[in-house]
Amino acid sequence: MTTPDTPLENHVTGATVWLTGLPSAGKTTIAYELAGRLREEGRRVEILDGDEIREFLSAGLGFSREDRFTNVQRIGFVAELLASHGVTVLVPVIAPYADSREAVRKRHEAASTAFVEVHVATPVDVCSVRDVKGLYARQAAGEISGLTGVDDPYEAPEAPDLRIESQNQTVQESAAQLHALLTERGLA
């Protein structure tokens, strides 16, 4: 049972932290690192991982522009709902189109819910070397097409709240950089 003195009660402001970037940019890794730190501080944290959402919430959607838009809007709806209830929601999702990310931002603004857009700006050549899921190798072998940033568009955010160049720092440094921004904004 929580009491007014419980640290959780001192941190009721939720927020959505949207980490966008190419496949294998480091979005999910940074999100999990940050989540651990925030939980240690007593924050309620959820991670809405793009791969898990596709499997459960957006099963049946393909990778057309329209389906990607629908997927991002579903994730944005869930994120805003959780954030409006005091949860810090970390969303490591490619979300390749600026208009879909902007629609999510506007949903948050309309509800007066904090939204932070983070561009994990790892270059495609670095991502293709990391190739966490083997997507770049499969695309190069002609097994798949429509890989974001290679043969499908990725519209990088023009003015994100934070740009992280993960190839130039450790995961811990990237998470610390994001934590500092959240702290500065009263969200951590």
Side-chain angles (χ1 to χ4, degrees), residues 24-47:
S24 297
K27 303 175 299 295
T28 302
T29 305
I30 294 167
Y32 275 95
E33 180 69 25
L34 179 60
R37 183 169 180 175
L38 291 170
R39 287 182 180 124
E40 286 175 5
E41 295 171 354
R43 297 287 303 189
R44 293 188 303 161
V45 179
E46 290 295 334
I47 297 174

Side-chain angles (χ1 to χ4, degrees), residues 8 39 44 59 96 101 127 132 139 144 151 184 188:
L8 184 59
R39 287 182 180 124
R44 293 188 303 161
R101 295 189 306 265
C127 294
V132 178
Q139 191 276 337
I144 61 170
D151 60 353
E184 175 184 304

